[in-house]
Amino acid sequence: MNEKAEAAERVARIRVLVADDHPVVRAGLAAVISQQPELELVGEAADGSDAVTKVRERRPDVVLMDLRMPHMDGVAAIRAIKSEFPGVRVLALTTYEGGVDIHRALEAGASGYLIKDMLLTDVLSAISAVHRGDRVIPPTIAARLAEFTPRVDLTEREVEVLRLVAGGLSNRDVATAIGRTDETVKLHLKNIFAKLGVSDRTEAVTVGIARGILHLE
């Protein structure tokens, strides 16, 4: 193959960046992508901030973006990338199926949402699909989106209170942790219950995890 043909082949290949803070996951995806003749691995990133920097340096066509990473989470990184490089396609990649996670990623500009335990062949097909301009949302994720609509947001403080409750703290302990009174905590919980359509703390935590508001680390 002459130099002109080789250059044409490189241009035709889809340039992919992998961003994930788990080295084993990142290395596995990178290895599979490197073996595909139609794809070109242009870089790896270990956190959201690194992903934004690598996009500026390597100019990928598609980014596989883990949503939960240190320094800058995946959603913030997606927003930064789409703001600066609107033509870059981003596939959100996560272990969670919560409705909040899905909505946040798609609203930030992701072209698709994949769960990490999906078959690698599905991931490769998704890369090609979003590069063509398609949106990729697997049936199970689409069903979760349908269940979650209409969307109800908790405030940052309400999420913090719910997270502390999920950690087993009493109202008094939650009040101490956030620097407020017991009555304020009770008011926050009343609002949380109303927004989630639940009647007690246990049910609130359960629904919070199911919707992706809380994550069990």
Side-chain angles (χ1 to χ4, degrees), residues 2 31 35 62 76 99 128 156 201 203:
N2 59 40
Q35 294 170 5
V62 177
S128 297
E156 289 185 14
R201 292 158 57 101
E203 193 178 2

Side-chain angles (χ1 to χ4, degrees), residues 3 9 21 24 56 71 73 87 90 104 111 113 117 130 150 154 171 174 177 179 183 185 187 189 197 211:
E3 290 184 4
E9 182 181 1
D21 64 325
V24 174
R56 292 187 184 118
H71 306 304
D73 69 21
V90 182
R104 289 178 66 229
S111 298
Y113 190 103
D117 61 5
V130 297
L154 299 185
N171 285 2
V174 172
E183 291 304 316
V185 172
L187 180 59
L189 287 172
R211 292 189 178 183

Side-chain angles (χ1 to χ4, degrees), residues 5 15 28 47 63 72 128 132 137 142 161 165 175 191:
R15 297 168 56 81
D47 59 61
V63 179
M72 176 188 285
S128 297
R132 291 193 304 268
I137 303 177
V161 168
V165 168
N191 291 336

Side-chain angles (χ1 to χ4, degrees), residues 144-163:
R144 179 59 63 94
L145 277 172
E147 291 173 5
F148 189 65
T149 306
R151 183 179 176 190
V152 176
D153 283 327
L154 299 185
T155 66
E156 289 185 14
R157 177 66 81 186
E158 288 166 352
V159 172
E160 181 183 14
V161 168
L162 187 57
R163 186 179 298 114

Side-chain angles (χ1 to χ4, degrees), residues 189-190 192-205 207:
L189 287 172
K190 181 180 179 181
I192 291 168
F193 293 171
K195 289 181 178 181
L196 298 183
V198 301
S199 57
D200 59 47
R201 292 158 57 101
T202 300
E203 193 178 2
V205 170
V207 171

Side-chain angles (χ1 to χ4, degrees), residues 101-124:
D101 283 329
I102 301 169
H103 273 285
R104 289 178 66 229
L106 296 178
E107 287 180 354
S111 298
Y113 190 103
L114 301 177
I115 303 300
K116 287 184 180 180
D117 61 5
M118 293 181 69
L119 296 175
L120 287 172
T121 52
D122 292 331
V123 176
L124 296 174

